[in-house]
Amino acid sequence: MKKVVFYTILVIFSSCKTSEENTENKPQKKQPNILWIVTEDISPTLSFYGDYTAKTPNLDKIAKEAVVYKNAFAVVGVCGPSRSSIITGMHPTSLGTMHMRTGKDVFSWGKRAYEKTSIQDLEENPVQQYAAVIPEQVKCFTEYLRADGYYCTNNQKTDYQFAAPITSWDENNGKAHWRNRPKNKPFFSVFNFGLTHESRLWKHQDSIQTVNPNKVSVPPYLPDNKDTRETIARHYSNVELMDAQVGEIIKQLKEDGLYDKTIIFFYSDHGGPLPRQKREILDSGLKVPLLVKGINGEKGENNALVSFVDLAPTILSLAGVKPPKYMEGKAFIGEFKSDDRTYVYGSSDRFDEFTDRIRSVRDKRFLYLKNYHPKLPKYKDVGYRKNIPMMAKFLELKKENKLTEQQQIWFQTKTSEELYDCKNDPYNLVNLAENKEYASTLKRMRTALIDFQKDKTDFGAIPESELIENMWPNFEQPKTAKITFNQKGKKVELKSTTKGASIAYIISEKSNQHFNYNSNWQLYTKPLQIDKGKYVYAKAERIGFKESETSSLEIK
């Protein structure tokens, strides 16, 4: 296949206005504080969605003062590709981040080691670890917030399929907190809670279980037995542990007198952790809880379709920053709110050692799936998932032909298309694609996918080994060009010849200093005014590239 070229539009951050600049000719705009509370691997199985199994008093209190979104969807049923869409406002298939997982850039920054693996793509070519090189105009949306005066913190998970650029956060570590911001500076703070992650189904197996296994509901696609019930009860118990962490963050916000001055988002990075939930492109894998507590008193339920690609432009919209045109997401609240969506879209590609390609379209009632490799089974025997305590019994029952018809569906060979009525079939068990009564709906949803794919590259159509060769020729990570300085008196301009690179800098009174990722790096947006006798240290990084070495200049 021919090589793919990333067609790009260069974003020049010097055109972004900081909050300081905005005050020169007009009154400073009011910028709200924004807090994200992010959990992992949860479907909308919470009390404010009608499931009262887990006791979540802290989330319940927030929900009573918030807008609860009833139709919110991740774009992929796993964290890495999903989080790449959240931080960029783009679909993973438009970035080249759709395969789970590309490298080890999961937490914080600085952990940038890439190794050979035993994984193969569909053409049986080797797939090695890499950081995805995404189109050069695409930035982490937090850079736009920082350019507009926000203090941005992330505690602690990134997992974007690429290393978080040093320009993306003011703080990005386990101690990151809005409390560390300069006085009177608005903040955007993220707290990631891992207590509900799939892995906690076995890592917490010996912990106290606060939910009675005999009182949980078992979805019809899972066998109803002791093992299943114990696993489900463990998940709900983990949800209760997570709720306590939410309560601690809210307590801190109130202690600081910021609760009524902060917009609060709560969501999960994708659907639930159980078999036939995580990694699936069905509602069980993509439908998520989402609530937003504003500062204007609005509350209740909202049935609008929301996709994770909408989160980035929405936060910018709330901050009064116009979202860049390249973003595929739509702001669903704020100054730059768009019209409501008709459809949301999902994708499914490589999950660990198993590769496939499926695309989905969802409206408020129907779910359509296009299977590009229908001869492959629905079930993927992912080794990581087999750590779930109930999986051994589940697979044993399959081997013994003791599963019900609904439970067997997961292990069948796919058809080229699937269509589900999510209103009457919430578990997505009855494929209506060949039902003539739904022919017009099938055609409409199929056309919606075709229209979505027009005029854009779906990088999932390219064998992953070839995609890596395009991003990292000869499997060598490209490197960002180092900073050059252009000084005119006290005014210093910083440049990197790498298109799409962002620049970070530190001004110091000392020479020959060494800085790490957690040093006080500032985002460069315009030429700097620096007094004589001081030093400027700077480095550049384009997403997916190695960062440049640090350059320095003494102001004389």
Side-chain angles (χ1 to χ4, degrees), residues 208-221:
I208 295 175
Q209 195 153 279
T210 55
V211 173
N212 187 341
N214 295 322
K215 294 185 178 181
V216 302
S217 296
V218 179
Y221 51 78

Side-chain angles (χ1 to χ4, degrees), residues 82-114:
S82 178
R83 288 173 184 263
S84 74
S85 72
I86 292 170
I87 197 64
T88 63
M90 300 283 288
H91 284 273
T93 51
S94 299
L95 296 173
T97 58
M98 59 275 143
H99 297 296
M100 174 70 184
R101 164 177 285 117
T102 61
K104 293 185 175 181
D105 308 312
V106 180
F107 292 99
S108 192
W109 42 32
K111 299 180 180 180
R112 307 179 183 207
Y114 305 96

Side-chain angles (χ1 to χ4, degrees), residues 231-301:
T231 298
I232 294 174
R234 168 51 54 204
H235 172 58
Y236 279 116
S237 297
N238 291 342
V239 170
E240 294 189 347
L241 291 173
M242 177 271 296
D243 182 74
Q245 287 188 317
V246 172
E248 181 59 31
I249 292 297
I250 297 302
K251 178 184 176 184
Q252 293 173 16
L253 203 62
K254 289 182 176 179
E255 287 174 349
D256 295 352
L258 295 170
Y259 182 75
D260 295 324
K261 302 174 183 177
T262 302
I263 299 172
I264 302 173
F265 282 64
F266 168 82
Y267 67 87
S268 172
D269 60 351
H270 53 76
L274 301 174
R276 203 182 174 270
Q277 293 181 357
K278 187 169 183 175
R279 301 176 187 86
E280 298 304 315
I281 200 168
L282 306 170
D283 274 10
S284 57
L286 299 186
K287 197 168 188 180
V288 295
L290 170 66
L291 63 79
V292 181
K293 186 203 79 69
I295 54 179
N296 57 2
E298 186 178 356
K299 55 187 177 182
E301 295 182 351

